[in-house]
Amino acid sequence: MVVDAQFPASAPHVIEELKKLGEKPFKYLLNTHHHGDHTAGNIAFKGLAEKVVAHQNSLVNQKRAAEKANSLDQQLLPDTTFGTGWKAPVGDEKISSYYYGSGHTNGDAIYHFENANIVHVGDLVSNRKYPYIDRENGAHIGNWITALDKIYRQFDHDTMFIFGHSREPEKITGNKADVKAFQNYLQNLLTFVSSEIKAGKTKDNILKATSIPNAQEWQGEGIQRSLSAAYDELKGA
Ligand SMILES: [Zn+2]
Ligand SMILES: [Zn+2]
């Protein structure tokens, strides 16, 4: 099984490497959410993966985005979808998927490999890197914070987490503390933007901030995406 497929140009490389491990078929391609950097490469698994699994909103979003871009023929859409969760045995391993409502989009699922105790959280965690907050596809920072709290409490200190994005490539995996740190980032983002609104600042002025107070570990490009999403959410726009 494979979690997420990146892009059509990069997916064949991972397929090639995985085939070196044996000629067994791919039972499942699991999608964490619909964004192109996670599902555009699904097409490379056509005829190779028995089933493509995703949350039901992820399928809706992927289909809508492809229709809008007139690229439906280049998509391999999920054929197995779920609402609150999904479970399946694969060999000696057990996969459990969970959904916590709106976060990074409205269709983010996480996949737990129970025996290995590894969980892929997709873009629900952006490790020390400003996240994309996709309000057009149902993102909600307030509920995202709640979702991360549930994830934090559900897993243990030995659980290895795989993140959708990381500022430093070698920190694409981590532990519970990193989940908490990202939750703190989102909380401090809301607190900061809320206080700026109360101080009478305009959206344009708020977007000029270059860091989020009490969350300086988050750096790089894209702080405006966070600030803008927080502003719109707080204003109910
Ligand atoms: Zn994403
Ligand atoms: Zn992503």
Side-chain angles (χ1 to χ4, degrees):
M1 57 200 146
V2 174
V3 182
D4 284 348
Q6 244 188 35
F7 296 104
S10 50
H13 298 298
V14 77
I15 291 171
E16 198 181 310
E17 289 303 311
L18 289 170
K19 279 188 166 173
K20 288 181 189 165
L21 300 174
E23 272 307 304
K24 287 184 181 169
F26 294 98
K27 182 94 181 153
Y28 297 112
L29 172 60
L30 311 168
N31 286 156
T32 58
H33 65 299
H34 77 285
H35 284 152
D37 56 323
H38 301 257
T39 64
N42 280 9
I43 194 74
F45 288 86
K46 196 174 182 176
L48 289 177
E50 246 174 69
K51 295 211 181 313
V52 184
V53 182
H55 186 265
Q56 59 202 25
N57 293 346
S58 172
L59 168 62
V60 171
N61 295 341
Q62 192 185 335
K63 202 165 167 232
R64 192 179 46 232
E67 278 164 354
K68 210 170 143 191
N70 209 9
S71 65
L72 203 50
D73 58 331
Q74 291 152 48
Q75 302 293 316
L76 180 64
L77 297 173
D79 52 46
T80 304
T81 59
F82 57 88
T84 52
W86 176 84
K87 276 182 197 299
V90 178
D92 298 331
E93 187 53 279
K94 271 191 277 181
I95 321 163
S96 287
S97 180
Y98 302 93
Y99 176 69
Y100 307 92
S102 284
H104 166 71
T105 68
N106 63 2
D108 307 284
I110 70 165
Y111 296 95
H112 185 212
F113 299 84
E114 291 186 15
N115 295 336
N117 198 13
I118 296 171
V119 59
H120 197 312
V121 294
D123 287 1
L124 284 176
V125 174
S126 182
N127 193 24
R128 273 77 180 179
K129 185 181 182 183
Y130 292 124
Y132 177 32
I133 302 171
D134 189 356
R135 281 175 49 81
E136 254 182 65
N137 287 291
H140 191 275
I141 303 166
N143 193 67
W144 194 347
I145 292 166
T146 307
L148 289 171
D149 197 48
K150 287 179 185 158
I151 292 168
Y152 181 80
R153 282 186 281 119
Q154 187 174 342
F155 298 100
D156 56 49
H157 289 286
D158 296 324
T159 307
M160 179 196 268
F161 289 80
I162 302 173
F163 312 126
H165 297 272
S166 170
R167 180 158 48 85
E168 293 178 47
E170 65 274 19
K171 293 189 178 155
I172 198 70
T173 63
N175 57 32
K176 267 179 86 141
D178 298 309
V179 175
K180 193 76 180 163
F182 183 60
Q183 188 200 29
N184 287 338
Y185 167 79
L186 291 176
Q187 187 63 66
N188 285 312
L189 168 67
L190 280 187
T191 302
F192 171 63
V193 175
S194 167
S195 70
E196 294 286 84
I197 291 170
K198 282 194 194 111
K201 290 213 185 162
T202 63
K203 186 175 183 182
D204 281 350
N205 258 316
I206 295 171
L207 290 184
K208 285 179 189 149
T210 53
S211 70
I212 307 295
N214 305 312
Q216 279 92 348
E217 280 188 291
W218 265 257
Q219 294 166 19
E221 300 282 297
I223 188 174
Q224 287 80 14
R225 296 197 299 196
S226 281
L227 295 164
S228 178
Y231 182 90
D232 291 345
E233 183 172 315
L234 289 163
K235 282 282 192 182

